[in-house]
Amino acid sequence: MTQTPPSQPDQLPKDAVPPSATRWIIPGGLLIVLLVAVLTTVSLWEARQNALGNEQRQIGDLVLITSQDIQRHYELYDLLLREAAAQIVDLPPSRGTGAPANIIRRTMDASRIPAEMILISESGKLVASSRHPTNGEQAADRDYFIIQRDQPATGLYLSRPFRNRLDQEPCVALSRRLTDSHGNFAGVLAILVPLQSVREMFASLTRHRSDAISLIRLDGTILVRQPDLGSFGGFGLNVFGRPNFQRMTTTPQGSFTSTSEIDRVKRYYVFSRVGDLPLIVVVGVGMDAVTAPWQAQWLAGAATSVVLCLLILGAAVALRREMLRRFEIEQEFLRLSQTDSLTGLPNRRHFDEFGQREWQRAARQRSSIAVLMVDIDHFKQVNDRIGHPGGDRVLREVSDIIRASLHRPGDFAGRYGGEEFAIILPETDAPAAAHVAERIRAAIEANTAEGVAPVTVSIGLAAGLAAPKGTLAEMMIAADHALYRAKETGRNRVVSSHVARNDNLRPLAC
């Protein structure tokens, strides 16, 4: 029996109200204006301190946003490497070098990122590039090749900076080791990331001439600095032994005020590690740029109250505008972090968060809950028939059908990965869940893309009564097993799972 859940969960972030502080900035500025007449010196000092604090918070936000952006890019690069590597390893030796070249070219073309993917043989010879023709150039002396060859457990490796031998552009390489079917070293697949694109991004973030933004490896090698190093050391300067860098190696993130050992400018520095990567983002703002306007006003203590009031009101308006701008950016980042860009459905991270909350609610109320795992049948063949753009269209159409097939506000669907989708049906027993699953399966089968055979899906479902000590993981596993049985028994069908009885989950009759 299916019941209506007590509340409607948020599938995606909704419009949020700006921070209440934005309503009080202007009135607060007016209050300060009234006090300036008798407290000129104190107000100027407090204004200076507030300005410095705001600058520090803005720098902290800038470092956080920049490090997250770099991490997202490198996660994308790693995903591209994994996808291309999986396809290359599966190629038979008889296919020659043309097939790997086509794979890496298709992979990079589909990603539309300004980087180059290369394939290096086990002997260190450059076999293929997604951008440039190759003529057997040697790469055996590159650190990323040596590391991947000699240390099989390295995984994803970020190289030292170097100049690309094909176009002489400064870059770094993200690489992964290739192994053959016997586990032997079979070469290296790498993405060459041009450092110029990172420098251009840093240039757009600087506000003062004395600002400096750097991306540094944990071994002290500066990959990118804006402004560039120029006469202060050139390309790939290593600062490992310098005190300022040593302060950054003791903690994942922090801040300090110090004089630069490169250009001797005193700055306020904020730094942060970039996720699990061996990278540090450092933003430094010149103290003169931060304090110069307030020093001038401090020395001119006889400035009239009218001028000072105008300055305070202007600062209040600017601060309110900045807070609203940052609020809008944070809301957009939240939406992007929870949404699958191709289908518009919630992504796996959002699905997992919602699923855990819904499980806990169901456990408190001792109510039923059901999970559906939906997988497109023979999706690789669909891609082969109609190409990757057509495959993307199929994914969007299947997502639209799933979304349209869920009639209750509490039902939740997300893209779980690749061609697989997951659905949570609160307060739903096994027969009702099977009815929803069959409705989805039939609707997808009836929706045929123009000029191709019908697209079908296999669906595994699990339903039961939640208990407080349980988690959603057991039910997801049961639904996944049911999905495998649906695949093994002919596909294009719905299979229910009989969940084993334990303290955490009580099965419902299927």
Side-chain angles (χ1 to χ4, degrees):
M1 183 67 180
T2 304
Q3 303 174 358
T4 302
S7 62
Q8 176 181 355
D10 291 336
Q11 290 256 346
L12 295 172
K14 296 184 177 180
D15 293 338
V17 178
S20 59
T22 58
R23 299 195 299 268
W24 298 101
I25 292 176
I26 301 302
L30 292 173
L31 179 61
I32 293 175
V33 165
L34 296 176
L35 298 175
V36 162
V38 293
L39 299 172
T40 301
T41 303
V42 174
S43 298
L44 285 171
W45 176 256
E46 290 179 350
R48 176 186 181 278
Q49 294 303 104
N50 289 337
L52 181 58
N54 289 335
E55 189 76 18
Q56 293 171 350
R57 286 191 292 272
Q58 291 179 23
I59 298 170
D61 291 342
L62 177 61
V63 169
L64 176 63
I65 293 172
T66 303
S67 63
Q68 289 176 343
D69 187 65
I70 293 173
Q71 184 176 6
R72 280 194 294 270
H73 277 79
Y74 279 81
E75 288 173 351
L76 173 60
Y77 297 152
D78 188 26
L79 178 62
L80 295 175
L81 286 174
R82 290 176 181 271
E83 290 181 354
Q87 297 179 57
I88 291 172
V89 169
D90 290 338
L91 289 173
S94 60
R95 295 293 297 274
T97 61
N102 289 335
I103 290 173
I104 65 175
R105 192 174 299 112
R106 286 198 308 268
T107 301
M108 296 307 291
D109 288 345
S111 70
R112 298 181 180 179
I113 58 175
E116 177 181 3
M117 184 180 290
I118 62 172
L119 175 63
I120 304 172
S121 69
E122 65 274 15
S123 63
K125 183 180 294 185
L126 186 59
V127 175
S129 165
S130 64
R131 277 192 177 182
H132 301 92
T134 59
N135 192 26
E137 292 84 357
Q138 274 294 324
D141 58 335
R142 296 299 196 194
D143 65 319
Y144 59 90
F145 178 85
I146 296 172
I147 290 291
Q148 297 289 8
R149 181 192 63 192
D150 297 341
Q151 301 179 23
T154 298
L156 183 67
Y157 176 73
L158 177 67
S159 75
R160 298 185 181 92
F162 61 92
R163 293 191 181 276
N164 189 343
R165 287 174 178 151
L166 298 178
D167 58 13
Q168 298 304 307
E169 287 294 321
C171 60
V172 293
L174 272 169
S175 62
R176 280 198 171 275
R177 175 190 175 100
L178 298 178
T179 56
D180 59 23
S181 58
H182 301 291
N184 299 320
F185 176 63
V188 173
L189 190 63
I191 289 182
L192 308 185
V193 182
L195 296 179
Q196 180 61 29
S197 62
V198 182
R199 181 175 289 110
E200 291 172 355
M201 179 185 72
F202 284 1
S204 68
L205 299 176
T206 56
R207 295 173 297 163
H208 310 112
R209 293 184 60 184
S210 58
D211 289 357
I213 306 180
S214 302
L215 184 63
I216 311 175
R217 276 173 49 106
L218 288 184
D219 65 0
T221 303
I222 296 180
L223 303 183
V224 178
R225 185 180 187 271
Q226 176 60 34
D228 61 31
L229 295 173
S231 60
F232 295 112
F235 177 70
L237 175 67
N238 191 286
V239 294
F240 183 82
R242 301 188 181 184
N244 281 353
F245 179 78
Q246 288 299 312
R247 296 173 74 168
M248 303 178 200
T249 61
T250 59
T251 180
Q253 57 188 17
S255 62
F256 60 93
T257 301
S258 181
T259 299
S260 169
E261 296 139 327
I262 295 178
D263 56 13
R264 311 308 302 172
V265 175
K266 186 176 182 180
R267 294 187 176 94
Y268 175 76
Y269 291 99
V270 178
F271 63 92
S272 175
R273 286 282 299 273
V274 181
D276 296 327
L277 295 170
L279 294 174
I280 301 176
V281 172
V282 188
V283 175
V285 177
M287 293 301 297
D288 290 344
V290 175
T291 61
W294 302 102
Q295 288 176 345
Q297 292 179 26
W298 179 263
L299 294 175
T304 66
S305 296
V306 173
V307 173
L308 185 57
C309 290
L310 292 175
L311 289 174
I312 293 175
L313 285 175
V317 171
L319 178 58
R320 181 178 183 276
R321 186 176 302 162
E322 177 63 17
M323 290 182 66
L324 291 174
R325 185 185 70 84
R326 284 165 46 191
F327 174 76
E328 292 173 356
I329 292 174
E330 291 168 357
Q331 291 300 307
E332 180 63 11
F333 279 152
L334 177 62
R335 187 189 70 81
L336 293 174
S337 70
Q338 294 184 336
T339 307
D340 176 64
S341 60
L342 176 61
T343 64
L345 288 176
N347 58 22
R348 179 167 180 173
R349 175 184 175 185
H350 191 192
F351 179 89
D352 290 341
E353 292 172 352
F354 172 83
Q356 188 58 35
R357 292 195 303 269
E358 188 58 36
W359 177 270
Q360 292 170 355
R361 186 193 67 81
R364 289 193 302 269
Q365 299 178 4
R366 294 287 181 168
S367 62
S368 59
I369 187 171
V371 172
L372 308 182
M373 299 295 292
V374 183
D375 190 89
I376 300 176
D377 296 329
H378 303 297
F379 185 71
K380 183 179 183 302
Q381 297 177 13
V382 173
N383 271 334
D384 292 341
R385 289 199 308 269
I386 62 178
H388 288 283
D392 290 345
R393 187 176 71 252
V394 168
L395 288 171
R396 287 191 291 268
E397 291 175 354
V398 169
S399 301
D400 292 341
I401 293 171
I402 291 174
R403 190 184 291 111
S405 300
L406 302 179
H407 299 158
R408 302 183 309 164
D411 296 338
F412 190 94
R415 186 180 180 190
Y416 206 66
E419 65 271 22
E420 193 171 15
F421 303 85
I423 302 169
I424 293 178
L425 303 174
E427 301 197 11
T428 303
D429 58 18
H435 177 74
V436 174
E438 179 58 26
R439 183 169 66 221
I440 293 172
R441 185 205 65 77
I444 292 173
E445 184 180 25
N447 184 73
T448 303
E450 182 178 355
V452 299
V455 174
T456 63
V457 296
S458 298
I459 302 178
L461 76 84
L465 296 175
K469 294 183 180 180
T471 66
L472 192 65
E474 294 174 347
M475 184 166 285
M476 295 292 293
I477 293 173
D480 199 50
H481 288 168
L483 174 61
Y484 277 112
R485 291 201 301 274
K487 294 286 187 180
E488 292 171 353
T489 55
R491 306 177 188 270
N492 190 23
R493 64 193 60 220
V494 176
V495 172
S496 299
S497 173
H498 295 274
V499 184
R501 185 180 300 272
N502 58 41
D503 293 335
N504 301 331
L505 181 67
R506 289 181 293 165
L508 295 171
C510 296

